Amino acid sequence: MRDSAGIAVTGLGVTTAIGQGKAAFAQALFAGAHRFAVMDRPGRQLGTRFAGAEIAALEAGTRLGTRELRTVSLTGQVALATLEEAWTEARLDEFDPDRIGLVVGGSNLQQRELALAHDRHRAKPRFLRPSYGMSFLDTDLCGLCTSAFGIRGFAHTVGGASASGQLAIIEAAEAVASGRVDVCVALGALMDLSYWELLGLHSMGAMAPEECADAPALACRPFDRQRAGFVFGEACGALVIERLGARPDQERTRYADLSGWSVRLDGNRNPNPSLHGETAAIRQALDRAGLTAGDIDYVNPHGTASPVGDETEVAALRACGLTHAAINATKSITGHGLTAAGAVEAIAALLQMKHGRLHPTRNLTDPIDTSLRWVRDEAVEAEVRHCLSLSMGFGGINTALCMSTGDS
């Protein structure tokens, strides 16, 4: 018996540029709909033009009043709305709040808000709002969510760069598996980039260049030979993870079991990927799940459109014997949510498993490897019993997650 048996996902919440809520998000995914444009949110311009996908409007959660929300950043508002959807679906008000945990995936989450505050108060620093003393700390998001939802088990953040969202899922699963809590929410938080982060990522060659803003709909192209780097997309995802048998009617909202997972490091500060680290994470997750590569029906890859990263990931999939599995790239539709990416893409995988359909991969006109089973121009019907989701982050972080709806 695998040691991860009995851990399931029972609630989902998602907010992205292509839609808020599971229904809108799934509809946009299957249609391949996007919202890539030149980003114009205040605090993201400094004589620059970057392509990206920004949330157009937000239907705020109901846990805080309008007056309280005035001191809450965009990251916080999106977190509250996203968490509320997952919380309501999983009926977490039925649980003892002392047995509920929260893991927030991400660090340095509210940078744009901080940059705007610096610009606004540079000439009058004594007028800085007192809430700044909390908002520059990542624990601010933990405090905001736990106070709004009455969570009293535990809460903390985990920083894994672009692997943060999936790392939060793994930490939450391990907290439930150990009996520390009965249920735990994994939140992949919105990383609100300012022009400083955009310029830094651009200068290191990770982001698509500024000229991609001339045709933003074509800028994001994971696994295509014309890829030029990632395109940012605002996003946030929440998954409720609980122990099977905790409630008699749990099957009503059970999406899938978390059958196996892995975290492996490269021992590397730099952003370059590692074939060894990625293959090690995949193999360890499969082993923990009690699965072989042949059992995997579908892979949701990291797929950022990085010139080196995509090549390395394809090599890892080949080395692990996953060329038979269907593959698509969620970032081609949503953009790269950075700290939120792993959580949002796990949600995308779960919704595809539920609906029996796989979404298309936008702009995949000339794949870097034609031997893999890409889902390209249109959504396709597919039965997915076992899925593998992958995330990688700067600093040599590799994570892999197996999700299963049935035994192999």
Side-chain angles (χ1 to χ4, degrees), residues 77 84 197 229 293 313 374 407:
Q77 291 183 43
E84 183 159 348
E197 291 75 49
E313 190 168 12
W374 303 108
D407 295 328

Side-chain angles (χ1 to χ4, degrees), residues 165-372:
Q166 192 165 109
L167 189 59
I169 297 171
I170 293 170
E171 289 286 323
E174 292 188 344
V176 172
S178 70
R180 186 179 179 191
V181 288
D182 294 326
V183 61
C184 191
V185 180
L187 180 75
L190 186 154
M191 176 172 258
D192 194 5
L193 300 181
S194 77
Y195 48 75
W196 293 115
E197 291 75 49
L198 292 171
L199 287 168
L201 290 164
H202 173 261
S203 67
M204 71 188 302
M207 275 185 61
E210 286 188 77
E211 52 263 33
C212 287
D214 295 334
L218 301 176
C220 190
R221 37 195 332 120
F223 301 109
D224 189 82
R225 294 189 186 279
Q226 300 303 313
R227 68 198 184 284
F230 81 81
V231 177
F232 176 59
E234 292 181 340
C236 179
L239 298 89
V240 176
I241 298 164
E242 64 180 276
R243 185 182 299 107
L244 292 178
R247 292 182 284 182
D249 60 347
Q250 191 175 48
E251 290 291 338
R252 193 170 72 179
T253 59
R254 178 182 171 192
Y255 284 91
D257 297 347
L258 300 184
S259 50
W261 53 79
S262 175
V263 181
R264 297 296 296 266
L265 299 185
D266 301 333
N268 178 22
R269 177 193 178 191
N270 297 312
N272 54 296
S274 162
L275 177 60
H276 173 76
E278 293 181 22
T279 55
I282 291 170
R283 288 168 177 156
Q284 189 175 70
L286 290 172
D287 183 64
R288 177 166 187 162
L291 300 172
T292 67
D295 295 321
I296 299 298
D297 303 304
Y298 162 63
V299 176
N300 188 289
H302 188 53
T304 63
S306 160
V308 178
D310 284 9
E311 292 278 2
T312 305
E313 190 168 12
V314 163
L317 294 174
R318 285 199 307 263
C320 292
L322 290 162
T323 56
H324 68 282
I327 306 172
N328 57 16
T330 300
K331 289 183 181 72
S332 72
I333 302 172
T334 63
H336 190 349
L338 299 176
T339 50
V344 169
E345 287 154 23
I347 291 168
L350 289 165
L351 291 173
Q352 290 174 95
M353 295 170 82
K354 177 182 177 180
H355 290 284
R357 299 181 72 198
L358 300 178
H359 69 69
T361 303
R362 295 188 66 258
N363 297 325
L364 186 57
T365 58
D366 189 9
I368 59 177
D369 187 328
T370 58
S371 69
L372 299 182

Side-chain angles (χ1 to χ4, degrees), residues 2 28 54 58 87 109 136 216 243 268 309 343 390:
R2 58 182 182 243
E54 296 175 317
L58 179 67
W87 186 281
L109 295 166
F136 74 86
R243 185 182 299 107
N268 178 22
L390 305 175

Side-chain angles (χ1 to χ4, degrees), residues 31-62:
H34 73 91
R35 288 190 55 85
F36 294 117
V38 177
M39 291 191 288
D40 62 2
R41 200 178 289 286
R44 291 197 180 141
Q45 301 81 36
L46 190 64
T48 57
R49 293 174 72 247
F50 288 112
E54 296 175 317
I55 296 168
L58 179 67
E59 184 177 335
T62 60

Side-chain angles (χ1 to χ4, degrees), residues 48-133:
T48 57
R49 293 174 72 247
F50 288 112
E54 296 175 317
I55 296 168
L58 179 67
E59 184 177 335
T62 60
R63 301 273 171 161
L64 293 182
T66 303
R67 185 173 182 178
E68 294 172 288
L69 283 172
R70 290 176 185 168
T71 65
V72 177
S73 69
L74 175 66
T75 297
Q77 291 183 43
V78 172
L80 290 173
T82 306
L83 180 51
E84 183 159 348
E85 182 185 21
W87 186 281
T88 301
E89 181 178 39
R91 310 189 322 276
L92 293 190
D93 285 328
E94 298 175 2
F95 275 86
D96 178 354
D98 290 324
R99 300 293 299 166
I100 301 175
L102 171 69
V103 181
V104 176
S107 54
N108 303 317
L109 295 166
Q110 305 177 89
Q111 296 296 84
R112 186 183 63 87
E113 296 276 352
L114 300 183
L116 288 172
H118 296 168
D119 292 344
R120 188 165 51 246
H121 295 283
R122 196 172 305 279
K124 46 181 181 178
R126 296 295 181 181
F127 289 88
L128 188 67
R129 181 179 289 175
S131 60
Y132 183 92

